[in-house]
């Protein structure tokens, strides 16, 4: 407790000075700026996308020929487990977090998230958790139980390597990261909107992210319970999934899928949000049926809680449960259909500009519809007993995930790149990127629907020649098409990487408002200043920015919508009345210190509990430093303060 | 380069759908669109219309999107009216899918219940384990008029009477597996500690392949199975054959030597019904001492089956296998009952298996890595036999039919 | 959720100073975050309780809940925890009155009662262990210890927070709004108590 | 950004919503006495056997205690309704999903 007696508030633990660097690596590592954190999220997630993608390519290579030997059986099992885990938890979710972090405060007209230090903590936890998870490759093999890790196959008896321990503990760490950031973002959206921004004035992206954060908030504890049970079983001998002692393996399935189904909407809704921004912008008209889109998003969020057992139609639930869940699952097609219809009607009557972002967004409508419709065919429970655990399912979920979520994220890259980096991505390369991915996705995943219905189960290291059937269009043919397709996707992704490099090298700056956009985040400099807005805008309507640029003007042909102000003019007007004394949250050591404690504890659980004690000590140090550190240090204010009252410590948690 | 994205997209969409409809392989043995029994057929009858509905909805969506792309692309027109929607249209577009889905719900629910019926005389116990299926025909149950005189335990091939409702009682000895014969019915998980049922019925004699479809560890891909449907007379013959008393090999033959090697090396895990040791005592396998799941396939009539070790490796040569698979229904039974004849015997497979099973099928048998299981294997270990011993064991096994 | 919007009109439009960062709903970020966290905790404890409910009868031939539980003892400790909720509420009220002395007093008493509860739980666990019911014994025991253990850890964290708060207040080093900090701990503490209300009934009192 | 402590200077938007009417100590003590009484009743079922009524009676008393604590001690009754909403969504979802899951195990059938 001696630590508490720290002399001045700008020092932490009375020893270290607060980090204040504004440039160099320190300005990133200790930052609490939501924009920097957003970028870091994006970079790391992109890296994991390449990792997960390479794993996918290995899978496709192995399946390109019958009885192939690119991967051994054990390695193959690790490969698809880690492919799925990496893609879902280390790519799609964090990439959505990247967009959310960067744009949520901007879209609601705030200067940062509600709890900036917690935000940094989330990022570091995610990074350390992801690295921890992947070190298993070098420490005796990765997890090999499939991404839903059904018990009892996941118990120590059947999977003796440490792979699953890494998986459980890694997901636990990543889960804490997401839970913390979900609370953070919900508070940000509910409490920190600019004056005048009613809930029904919020951009759809903000809305969808809000729904996602609620899903995370309530779904993560469920998988946390499941993971605790599993790790207590594996590491401390508890009996939870020990069938000999009377355990019921279906308990795990329920816990996993109560989380797992909301999870799939966690994956898709951010992209729904992104394309709901992109489509109106490039159609030059507001989103059709804004309210319907918002409410259907919320409805998906709610109904998504009542359908999880559709992953268990063959598990032996009994006919009553199966029937109930089958009907509930079909219900969810209704709100999703509302979205598809409204996007299409947004295009209708518009003035369509086919930028790369727009093409990705339209691609999402088309590809997601295919995946969604095959989802409905699974919802028909008797049919699903034929389809489940075959490539038909693999086809379904890659259409919705790659065709829906991933393409949506790419739409976001092209749309928001000029905002984040001040330069436009090359449209020509962008078109290559889009078409390669679009054809690639169809070539890879459409054949899987056929393969599945023709009887090829998933998670099989080999498929035998004698079961390929006859004729030209046999299973071998479709498997090879799928493999070719996956390399098309990879070359599409490669185009994107090239594009990033090319764009980074070119000198030309992007115009302030390249797309003639509609929402608040465009009412900032590109890239935005550290404090986002010179003055917090007052919001009067949905598409605030658009309405500041355009006005109804009487012309000789009657009233017409005319651009009366350029983005530069709008911005200049805001700048003219800039706020003074903007106090930004200051950088801090503690998020990264605290986050570092957790993987240490986790290694300890696997190898030696003594190490866990060290980790716990680091954690405690982090917490103490954190609690005793004021969240605003005096010398890092944007505009040095004049009066005591304005610099005083405001929050003990953030 | 990118002149007409609209047309491209439509072509792509049409192609994607076309692939789905036209792209089925001929005679894929596990084709769910080619049901061969009442249960699978009722699923198919439900599934196809749903696919058509989905297809039509998809085509409508693509058509509207395609048209909008073409019609409303930027040709220099004015900024469109900033309209926020049309509630009536929205509500209509919400109700329409609801109606379609309601229409799908009704037959779905009724199918769920009708597929779950359990009224049946012919009950077969099915047990999954890493990585093969065991079938246990309960003594006294009546299948297509044939009464099972005493319990029959086999593996790999589930022999059933054609045109008869069979009820499987499915469970597992270790992890979760899933029993699936696509042309006869959907899947049912085999969950340790739980008993699930599944109905099977095949219209005609024939061979219907299947695969374990719940991920069950290392050799999940090599855990296959087949259902063999025989007409009643043939089924009776099969039952009689399976329950025939054991005949020991003639003394002095290689098979007789093989028998003693078998007793020494194999019998601790594998049961051969009726087998007696030199003292005339019955030889009883104790697989629970050596194998984690506590069982190994019963080898009493090994050579009546056409494949082994999770129905992965053929006991028949490729030509004989193809002949059998393609046999017309009325000839199938006779051909199957011949079993593995000398000219059809795929010796290489069996030999390699006995020589070094884990090299053929990945399994956990390395003594160094059996710490967590207390020394028990998951699968069959390599036994380090000499080629001569293998010859003799094969000679012995050849008589197991 | 429409009622959230009700408070929005109170934020005046020309208010661009620091007040513009003030929340549009007029409620505190910290408290909102705490309530969100507690909502999330419902699903955590719900999962643990359900696991216990499913497995409470599965102890083979070993000792089950009916033979094991010492209801009088648990009743007393439940009562202790319940009363700590009262002292907590008194601490919060004192803090709202800016009455540091009483705040500290009640916080300390709350912490003490909490520690007493944890002590009773430790005693209970050792007693069970001596009767041969360990963490790994049966499904019943694993899920019982996991559920009550998680709760115990929550109480212990609460005790640490309470005592830390006492220390911080007495050194007058509270960052931010003191009353709110106390109230936050209070919310957490009451929630932990409420979870015990459920556990006490479902696990101990209702016969398996 | 940090927003918490502004209401003293900018009371016009924070007051009322932020400072709900919180009852006096004596009120809380009264509530605690009721809670104690309920606990005593609950515990008494251990000695007094109610047969088939025991479970419903216990569940009802549990629910009453639960809501007394969250409404009064945790101020949900006096505070902004947003807090209630956040908490009740979680609570409701928890009850819903876990009861459904348990019922698929035939938990309530016995
Ligand atoms: C982004 C993720 C995502 C999304 C959005 C969805 C959306 C849906 N999913 Fe999917 N699903 C997954 C990811 C996703 N899924 C994953 C990862 C798995 C496998 C997990 C594993 O086993 O590893 C899976 C598995 C899965 C199963 C289990 C299959 C099995 O294992 O046996 C089922 C069963 O019902 C299902 C159904 C659905 C349905 C009905 C929807 C609906 O939400 C779709 C709704 C959309 C539409 C229907 C299209 C648009 C609508 C219209 C144009 C209106 C008109 C439509 C009609 C009238 C039909 N999904
Ligand atoms: C977010 C989720 C997500 C995403 C994006 C993907 C993307 C892809 N997936 Fe994945 N997949 C899953 C989630 C996902 N998948 C899940 C949940 C499963 C189930 C697992 C299980 O059963 O447990 C699964 C399973 C799965 C299987 C089935 C395995 C089996 O059952 O045996 C296959 C097979 O083809 C596959 C393929 C692919 C392919 C080809 C892609 C492609 O879209 C990937 C494209 C990306 C790239 C190719 C990266 C680009 C790389 C480069 C450009 C490299 C060059 C550059 C440098 C090195 C600098 N996936
Ligand atoms: Cu058995 Cu897969
Ligand atoms: Cu689902």
């Amino acid at each position: 407790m001696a630590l508490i007696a720290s002399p001045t508030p700008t020092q932490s633990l009375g020893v270290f000075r607060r980090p204040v660097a504004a440039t160099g690596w320190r300005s990133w590592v200790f930052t609490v700026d939501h924009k920097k954190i957003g970028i870091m999220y994006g970079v790391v997630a992109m890296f994991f996308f390449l990792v997960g993608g390479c794993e996918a390519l290995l899978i496709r290579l192995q399946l390109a020929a019958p009885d192939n030997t690119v991967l051994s059986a054990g390695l193959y099992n690790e490969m698809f487990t880690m492919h799925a885990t990496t893609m879902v938890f280390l790519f799609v979710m964090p990439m959505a977090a990247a967009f959310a972090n960067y744009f949520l405060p901007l879209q609601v007209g705030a200067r940062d998230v509600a709890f900036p230090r917690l935000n940094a903590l989330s990022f570091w936890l995610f990074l350390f958790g992801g690295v921890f998870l992947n070190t298993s490759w070098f420490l005796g093999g990765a997890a090999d139980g499939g991404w839903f890790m059904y018990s009892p196959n996941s118990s120590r008896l059947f999977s003796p390597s440490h792979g699953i321990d890494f998986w459980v503990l890694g997901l636990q760490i990543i889960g804490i990261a997401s839970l913390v950031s979900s609370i953070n973002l919900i508070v940000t959206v509910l409490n920190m909107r600019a004056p005048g921004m009613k809930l029904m004035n919020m951009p759809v992206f903000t809305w969808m992210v809000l729904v996602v954060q609620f899903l995370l908030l309530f779904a993560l504890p469920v998988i946390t319970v499941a993971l605790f049970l599993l790790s207590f079983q594996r590491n401390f001998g508890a009996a939870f999934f020990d069938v000999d002692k009377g355990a019921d393996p279906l308990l795990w399935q329920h816990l996993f899928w109560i989380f797992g189904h909301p999870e799939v909407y966690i994956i898709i809704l951010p992209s729904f949000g992104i394309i709901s921004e992109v489509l109106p912008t490039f159609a030059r008209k507001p989103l059709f049926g804004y309210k319907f889109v918002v409410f259907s998003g919320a409805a998906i969020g709610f109904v998504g809680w009542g359908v999880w057992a559709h992953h268990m139609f063959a598990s032996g639930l009994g006919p009553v449960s199966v029937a109930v869940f089958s009907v509930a699952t079909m219900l969810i097609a209704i709100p999703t259909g509302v979205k598809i219809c409204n996007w299409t009607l947004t295009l209708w009557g518009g003035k369509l500009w086919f930028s790369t972002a727009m093409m990705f967004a339209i691609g999402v409508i088309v590809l997601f519809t295919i995946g969604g419709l095959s989802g409905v065919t699974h919802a028909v429970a008797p049919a699903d007993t034929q389809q489940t655990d075959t490539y038909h399912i693999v086809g379904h979920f890659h259409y919705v995930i790659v065709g829906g979520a991933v393409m949506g994220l790419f739409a976001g890259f092209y749309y928001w790149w000029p905002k984040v980096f001040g330069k436009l991505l090359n449209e020509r390369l962008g078109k290559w990127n889009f078409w390669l991915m679009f054809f690639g996705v169809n070539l890879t995943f459409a054949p899987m629907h056929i393969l599945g219905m023709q009887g090829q189960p998933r998670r099989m290291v080999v498929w035998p020649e004698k079961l390929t059937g006859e004729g030209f269009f046999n299973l071998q043919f479709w498997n090879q098409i799928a493999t070719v397709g996956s390399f098309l996707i990879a070359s599409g992704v490669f185009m994107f990487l090239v594009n990033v490099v090319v764009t980074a090298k070119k000198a030309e700056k992007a115009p302030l408002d390249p797309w003639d956009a509609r929402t608040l985040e465009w009412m900032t400099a590109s890239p935005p200043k550290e404090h986002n807005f010179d003055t917090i805008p007052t919001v009067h309507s949905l598409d605030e920015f658009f309405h500041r640029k355009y006005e109804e003007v009487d012309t000789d042909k009657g009233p017409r919508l005319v651009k009366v102000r350029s983005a530069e003019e709008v911005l200049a007007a805001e700048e003219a009345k800039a706020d003074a004394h903007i106090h930004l949250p200051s950088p801090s050591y503690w998020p990264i210190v605290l986050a570092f404690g957790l993987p240490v504890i986790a290694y300890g659980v696997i190898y030696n509990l003594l190490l866990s004690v060290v980790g716990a000590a680091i954690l405690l140090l982090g917490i103490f430093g954190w609690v005793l550190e004021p969240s605003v240090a005096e010398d890092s204010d944007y505009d040095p303060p004049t009066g005591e009252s304005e610099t005083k410590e405001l929050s003990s948690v953030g | 380069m990118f002149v007409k994205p609209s047309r491209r997209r439509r072509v792509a969409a049409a192609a994607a759908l076309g692939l789905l409809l036209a792209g089925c392989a001929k005679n894929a043995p596990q084709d769910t669109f080619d049901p061969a029994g009442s249960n699978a057929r009722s699923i198919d009858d439900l599934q196809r219309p749903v696919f058509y509905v989905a297809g039509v909805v998809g085509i409508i969506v693509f058509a509207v999107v395609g048209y909008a792309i073409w019609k409303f692309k930027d040709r220099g027109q004015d900024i469109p009216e900033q309209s926020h929607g049309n509630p009536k249209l929205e509500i209509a577009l919400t109700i329409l899918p609801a109606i379609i889905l309601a229409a799908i719900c009704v037959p779905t629910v009724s199918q769920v219940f009708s597929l779950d019926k359990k009224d049946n005389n012919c009950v077969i116990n099915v047990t999954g384990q890493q990585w093969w299926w065991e079938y246990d025909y309960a003594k006294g149950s009546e299948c297509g008029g044939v009464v099972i005189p005493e319990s029959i335990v086999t593996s790999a091939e589930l022999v059933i009477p054609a045109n008869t409702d069979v009820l499987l009682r499915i469970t597992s000895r270790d992890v979760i597996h899933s029993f699936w014969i696509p042309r006869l019915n959907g899947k049912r998980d085999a969950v340790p500690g739980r008993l699930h049922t599944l109905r099977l019925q095949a219209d005609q004699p024939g061979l219907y392949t299947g695969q374990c479809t719940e991920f069950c560890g290392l050799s999940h891909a090599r855990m296959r199975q087949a259902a063999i449907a025989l007409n009643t007379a043939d089924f009776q013959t099969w039952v009689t054959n399976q329950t025939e008393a054991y005949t020991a090999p003639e003394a002095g033959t290689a098979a007789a030597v093989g028998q003693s090697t078998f007793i020494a090396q194999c019998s601790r895990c594998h049961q051969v019904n009726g087998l007696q040791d030199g003292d005339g005592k019955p030889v009883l396998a104790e697989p629970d001492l050596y194998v984690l799941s506590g069982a190994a396939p019963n080898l009493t009539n090994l050579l009546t089956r056409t494949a082994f070790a999770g129905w992965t490796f053929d006991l028949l040569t490729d030509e004989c296998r193809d002949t059998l698979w393609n046999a017309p229904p009325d000839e199938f039974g006779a051909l199957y009952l011949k079993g593995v004849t000398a000219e059809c015997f795929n010796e290489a497979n069996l030999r390699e298996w006995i020589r070094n099973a884990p090299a053929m099928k990945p399994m956990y048998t390395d003594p160094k890595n059996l710490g967590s299981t207390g020394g028990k294997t998951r699968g069959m270990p390599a036994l380090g036999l000499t080629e001569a011993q293998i010859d003799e064991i094969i000679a012995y096994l050849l008589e197991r039919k | 959720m429409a009622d959230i919007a009700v408070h929005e009109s109170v934020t005046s439009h020309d208010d661009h100073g620091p007040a513009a960062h003030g929340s549009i709903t007029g409620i505190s970020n910290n408290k909102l975050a705490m309530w969100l966290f507690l909502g999330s905790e419902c699903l955590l404890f719900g999962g643990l309780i359900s696991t216990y409910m499913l497995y409470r009868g599965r102890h083979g031939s070993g000792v089950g809940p009916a033979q094991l539980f010492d209801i009088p003892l648990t009743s007393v400790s439940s009562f202790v925890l319940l009363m700590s909720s009262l002292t907590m509420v008194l601490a919060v009220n004192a803090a709202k009155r800016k009455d540091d002395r009483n705040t500290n007093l009640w916080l300390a008493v709350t912490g003490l009662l909490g520690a007493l509860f944890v002590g009773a739980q430790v005693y209970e666990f050792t007693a069970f262990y001596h009767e041969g019911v360990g963490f790994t014994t049966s499904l019943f025991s694993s899920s019982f210890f996991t559920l009550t253990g998680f709760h115990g850890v929550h109480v212990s964290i609460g005790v640490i927070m309470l005592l830390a708060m006492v220390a911080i207040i007495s050194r007058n080093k509270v960052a931010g709004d003191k009353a709110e900090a106390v109230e936050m701990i209070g919310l957490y503490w009451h929630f932990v108590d409420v979870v015990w209300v459920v556990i006490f009934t479902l696990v101990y009192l209702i016969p398996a | 950004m940090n927003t918490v402590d502004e209401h003293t200077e900018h009371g016009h938007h924070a007051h009322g919503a932020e400072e709900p009417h919180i009852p006096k100590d004596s009120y809380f003590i009264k509530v605690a006495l009721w809670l104690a009484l309920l606990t005593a009743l609950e515990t008494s079922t251990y000695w007094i056997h109610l047969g088939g009524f025991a479970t419903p009676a216990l569940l009802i008393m549990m629910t009453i205690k639960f809501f007394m604590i969250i409404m009064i001690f945790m101020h949900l009754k006096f505070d902004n309704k947003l807090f209630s909403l956040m908490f009740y969504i979680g609570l409701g979802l928890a009850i819903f999903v876990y009861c459904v899951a348990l019922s698929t195990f035939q938990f309530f059938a016995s």
Side-chain angles (χ1 to χ4, degrees), chain A residues 73-74 77 80 144-146 148 150-153 156-160 243 248-250 253 283-290 292 313-316 319-320 322-323 326-327 330 333-334 338 340-342 344-345 347-352 354 359 362 365-366 369-370 373 376-377 380-383 385-390 392 399 431-432 434-435 438-439 442 446 449-450 452-455 457-462 464 466-471 473-475 478 518 542 546 550 560-561, chain B residues 1-2 5 8-9 12-13 16 19-20 22-33 40 43 46-47 50-51 54 57-58 61-62 64-65 67-69 72-74 76-87 89-91 93-94 97-98 101 104-105 108-109 111-113 115-116 130 174-176 178 180 182-183 185-189 191-194 196 209 211-218 220-222 224 292 311-314 321 325-326 362 364 372-373 378:
Chain A
N77 296 345
F80 68 70
D144 60 358
F148 42 77
Y150 274 3
S151 84
N153 193 38
R156 169 133 292 160
L157 202 55
F158 298 105
S159 185
V243 180
D248 195 326
L250 261 59
Q253 301 189 9
R284 318 273 176 73
K285 64 198 267 284
L287 186 66
F288 193 88
Y290 168 85
F292 276 74
F313 282 154
S315 296
V320 179
V322 167
S326 182
V327 172
M330 288 182 204
I334 298 171
V338 168
I340 300 278
C341 293
N342 282 294
T344 311
L345 290 169
L347 298 178
W348 199 270
K351 180 180 183 205
L352 307 183
F354 295 108
M359 292 171 79
I362 296 175
I365 303 183
V366 171
T369 301
I370 299 176
L373 290 170
V376 172
T377 70
V380 178
T385 62
Q386 288 286 21
Q387 300 164 355
T388 187
D389 277 318
T390 69
H392 196 70
Y399 258 99
K431 302 275 151 76
W432 277 96
F434 170 74
W435 286 112
F438 185 81
F439 280 110
N442 283 304
H449 287 101
I450 302 167
M453 295 316 291
Q454 303 272 283
R458 61 193 279 203
R459 299 175 158 183
M460 303 229 306
V461 57
V462 291
K466 61 183 174 186
L467 297 181
T468 52
E470 294 152 15
F473 295 112
N474 60 12
L475 298 198
W478 293 121
R518 313 176 71 85
L542 180 65
F546 183 85
Y550 283 80
R560 279 289 147 84
L561 207 56
Chain B
M1 168 75 208
F2 301 104
R8 277 159 194 280
R9 191 164 296 106
L19 293 183
L20 276 176
C24 295
K26 284 196 208 68
N27 288 335
Q30 292 175 188
D31 189 351
T32 47
F33 285 131
I43 293 176
L46 177 66
Q47 177 166 264
V50 175
F51 272 114
V57 173
V61 172
F62 306 146
V64 177
V65 171
Y67 180 76
I69 288 173
F72 299 109
K73 77 173 191 197
D74 189 347
Q77 66 263 48
D78 280 343
I79 292 281
E81 193 201 336
Q82 301 293 301
S83 74
H84 283 269
N86 175 346
L89 183 60
E90 318 257 311
I91 291 170
L93 286 173
T94 314
L101 288 165
I104 298 176
C105 273
T108 300
V109 171
Q111 273 294 326
V112 167
F113 286 96
L115 281 166
D116 194 64
Q130 289 180 327
D174 40 37
V175 302
I176 304 179
S178 193
W180 188 38
R183 295 184 63 201
N185 201 345
K187 305 174 183 71
R188 184 64 79 234
D189 282 4
V191 182
R194 296 173 71 110
H196 297 147
T209 68
Q211 159 76 42
C212 168
T213 44
E214 190 62 78
F215 179 63
C216 53
L218 198 55
H220 161 66
R222 293 180 175 90
R224 301 191 187 124
L292 187 61
W311 209 71
T312 305
F313 308 105
D314 289 316
R321 179 194 71 206
W325 284 25
N326 296 326
Y364 282 93
S372 63
T373 57
R378 290 191 279 144

Side-chain angles (χ1 to χ4, degrees), chain A residues 111-114 192 214 218 222 248 250-251 254 305 308 321 325 583-585 631 645 648 650-651, chain D residues 1-6 8-9 82 86-87 89-91 93 96-98 100-101 103-106:
Chain A
R111 292 216 159 104
D112 205 321
V113 293
M192 303 188 58
F214 274 104
F218 297 129
V222 186
D248 195 326
L250 261 59
L251 174 64
H254 279 288
W305 283 92
W308 73 87
S321 310
F325 278 100
H583 307 299
L584 289 174
S631 73
S645 66
K648 83 173 193 290
L650 298 178
S651 158
Chain D
M1 279 283 288
N2 306 288
T3 62
V4 183
D5 201 19
E6 303 289 358
T8 40
E9 287 122 331
L82 192 58
M86 297 299 113
F87 183 70
I89 294 178
L91 183 67
L93 277 178
F96 171 73
V97 295
Y98 292 124
V100 171
S103 69
T104 69
F105 290 103
Q106 316 294 320

Side-chain angles (χ1 to χ4, degrees), chain A residues 535-602:
Chain A
T535 177
I536 297 290
T538 301
V539 176
H540 309 281
S541 62
L542 180 65
D543 293 340
E544 174 70 21
F545 183 46
F546 183 85
H547 290 292
R548 292 204 186 186
K549 291 184 294 185
Y550 283 80
E551 265 168 29
E552 197 105 311
V553 171
D554 276 323
T555 67
D556 30 329
K557 285 185 257 166
R560 279 289 147 84
L561 207 56
V562 174
K563 192 164 188 169
V564 291
R565 268 178 294 274
S566 71
E568 283 78 3
E569 286 161 348
V570 174
L571 209 58
E574 294 290 298
E575 226 166 350
K577 46 179 180 174
D579 295 344
H581 317 311
I582 301 168
H583 307 299
L584 289 174
S586 345
S588 170
Y589 296 120
W590 305 115
I592 191 170
V593 172
L594 208 165
F596 186 70
L598 280 166
V600 177
I601 293 179

Side-chain angles (χ1 to χ4, degrees), chain A residues 402-470:
Chain A
V402 185
V406 178
M407 298 278 270
L409 294 173
F410 273 78
F413 295 152
Y414 281 90
Y415 179 58
W416 276 315
W417 204 269
K419 174 78 340 198
V420 179
F421 298 107
K423 291 179 187 172
L424 281 165
L425 281 171
N426 183 312
E427 281 287 299
R428 208 182 145 75
L429 281 166
K431 302 275 151 76
W432 277 96
N433 178 357
F434 170 74
W435 286 112
L436 284 168
M437 277 181 76
F438 185 81
F439 280 110
V441 166
N442 283 304
L443 280 186
T444 314
F445 303 118
M448 291 187 184
H449 287 101
I450 302 167
L451 285 169
M453 295 316 291
Q454 303 272 283
Q456 183 174 324
R458 61 193 279 203
R459 299 175 158 183
M460 303 229 306
V461 57
V462 291
W463 45 275
E465 194 162 13
K466 61 183 174 186
L467 297 181
T468 52
E470 294 152 15

